[in-house]
Amino acid sequence: MDNNELIKEILKLKEEKGAVILAHNYELPEIQDIADFVGDSLGLSQQAAKTEADTIIFCGVHFMAETSSIISPNKKILIPDLEAGCSLADSITIEELRNWKKENPDAVVVSYVNTTAEIKTETDYCVTSSNAVRVVEAIPSDKQILFLPDRFLGAYVAAVTGRDIKIWQGGCHVHEKIGEIDFDAAHEKHPDADFLIHPECGCSSSCMLKSTVYEGCGNVKIVSTEGMIDHVKNSDAKNFVVATEIGILHRMKKLKPEAEFYPISDESVCEYMKMITLEKLYNTLKNDEFEVKVPAEIADKARLSIERMLEIV
Ligand code: 13P
Ligand code: SF4
């Protein structure tokens, strides 16, 4: 089948099954275009929590589908490719977390949502990049915080909140490669551009410090992927430099065709997100595969940390 035929079949099957298709901002353009909702980790979790559909097709990575299964244990959660993982979620094991907690018995554990369901069972608060600062601010100031697994998001949150946070030294292989941004060179190339930087980037905490002092640049925003989209909607800028996975440029260009969007690097590609293709999405709907179901004993222990994340937006 060619893409047009696949699209027709997917829409037909989706209708017949009463399914909803959720897609992350990094998905391939054709997957974003066919989805009912495209968004960041927080937005997708919120949609999964509120949808009335019995079946959710999750076009994203495995931990995102797991999160939906935890929030909505009675719904069928399907992912088009079970191999769509996340290097950041893999950067801490449950044994490592248990040992870390033993060394810090009174600490509050704050985990980025990019973690496995098992890690969430040992977590007090989950956060996404769009609400990490607000969640940490809601924790009493006399509490020691263990933040995991992303060291750059952790450093960013510590810098913004001024809290003394112990940070796990994990990272995402796509974002950690986005190192220091040479603002002078970027400004020379794109003099009136706004700079949009994901807090998982290797440069985020130093960029944040620079952005407060670097007057030559337009707006410098360190935000989640949906925060970037909101910024594009509301900014008068004609040029945007984007420091995150390049899949998001598709949505930005659709939103503002008259503007120019420059990725900080053409190589910022998450191969896990790109595993989800139209053909696999079609097979998912046709064969009801592959189900992601977090076992009840794990889901019941993991749910509170996610509910707390959804409460603080
Ligand atoms: P967002 O929550 O900003 O969409 O980020 C998710 C992610 O996996 C970033 O790499
Ligand atoms: Fe995970 Fe990085 Fe891919 Fe995001 S971009 S899903 S953090 S591997």
Side-chain angles (χ1 to χ4, degrees):
M1 268 193 275
D2 66 19
N3 273 5
N4 287 338
E5 287 166 327
L6 280 170
I7 289 166
K8 250 194 233 155
E9 288 303 311
I10 289 167
L11 293 173
K12 200 170 98 195
L13 284 167
K14 187 187 81 148
E15 204 61 33
E16 278 168 25
K17 303 207 166 188
V20 66
I21 300 177
L22 307 183
H24 189 266
N25 286 320
Y26 297 159
E27 288 296 316
L28 290 167
E30 57 272 27
I31 297 293
Q32 295 191 29
D33 290 345
I34 207 167
D36 297 294
F37 178 86
V38 185
D40 68 355
S41 307
L42 185 62
L44 294 172
S45 302
Q46 289 165 333
Q47 288 297 318
K50 75 175 186 204
T51 181
E52 283 175 6
D54 295 327
T55 303
I56 299 174
I57 317 288
F58 212 106
C59 297
V61 295
H62 194 265
F63 77 81
M64 295 180 177
E66 271 190 343
T67 305
S68 298
S69 167
I70 296 165
I71 304 169
S72 307
N74 299 323
K75 291 187 178 142
K76 190 188 278 179
I77 316 293
L78 301 175
I79 189 166
D81 190 330
L82 279 171
E83 298 296 312
C86 170
S87 56
L88 182 52
D90 289 342
S91 63
I92 186 164
T93 65
I94 190 70
E95 290 75 28
E96 286 170 327
L97 174 54
R98 287 190 180 130
N99 287 338
W100 204 26
K101 284 177 78 169
K102 260 187 217 145
E103 290 159 17
N104 299 278
D106 299 323
V108 173
V109 176
V110 178
S111 297
Y112 194 27
V113 71
N114 296 41
T115 43
T116 62
E118 245 190 338
I119 293 288
K120 291 182 176 87
T121 64
E122 295 279 350
T123 292
D124 297 301
Y125 292 84
C126 260
V127 298
T128 71
S129 51
S130 64
N131 70 354
V133 167
R134 285 188 292 280
V135 172
V136 166
E137 280 169 346
I139 298 170
S141 56
D142 59 333
K143 284 280 177 197
Q144 172 72 64
I145 293 174
L146 302 182
F147 188 97
L148 65 102
D150 189 69
R151 63 190 187 280
F152 300 113
L153 180 64
Y156 171 73
V157 171
V160 177
T161 60
R163 295 286 291 264
D164 175 24
I165 298 175
K166 290 192 176 172
I167 301 165
W168 191 258
Q169 293 301 298
C172 149
H173 72 296
V174 180
H175 286 88
E176 61 192 1
K177 280 194 215 129
I178 303 177
E180 288 297 313
I181 292 176
D182 184 340
F183 275 96
D184 288 319
H187 180 54
E188 209 166 288
K189 245 174 144 181
H190 313 291
D192 55 355
D194 283 1
F195 285 72
L196 302 174
I197 299 165
H198 197 279
E200 275 175 33
C201 287
C203 63
S204 62
S205 29
S206 61
C207 283
M208 184 186 62
L209 299 177
K210 278 185 200 147
S211 70
T212 57
V213 292
Y214 193 88
E215 286 170 9
C217 278
N219 254 318
V220 179
K221 291 275 169 204
I222 297 167
V223 275
S224 74
T225 57
E226 202 58 28
M228 292 183 181
I229 295 289
D230 287 342
H231 181 82
V232 169
K233 277 184 200 156
N234 298 320
S235 170
D236 293 330
K238 298 275 174 288
N239 295 300
F240 298 86
V241 177
V242 183
T244 193
E245 212 274 354
I246 58 171
I248 195 166
L249 269 71
H250 175 66
R251 211 174 144 205
M252 291 175 169
K253 286 177 190 159
K254 270 173 82 174
L255 200 64
K256 222 172 227 188
E258 71 281 15
E260 296 293 337
F261 298 93
Y262 302 98
I264 203 80
S265 161
D266 287 326
E267 283 165 24
S268 296
V269 177
C270 175
E271 61 273 38
Y272 299 115
M273 290 281 183
K274 299 327 189 218
M275 283 179 177
I276 312 296
T277 60
L278 280 179
E279 196 161 5
K280 289 183 195 168
L281 176 54
Y282 165 71
N283 286 333
T284 294
L285 278 154
K286 189 164 154 253
N287 305 324
D288 260 0
E289 64 187 17
F290 300 93
E291 185 162 9
V292 175
K293 179 121 192 99
V294 176
E297 64 275 18
I298 294 181
D300 291 346
K301 281 194 214 150
R303 195 166 297 115
L304 180 61
S305 65
I306 299 173
E307 284 171 354
R308 285 174 168 163
M309 170 186 92
L310 293 172
E311 266 163 32
I312 305 174
V313 286

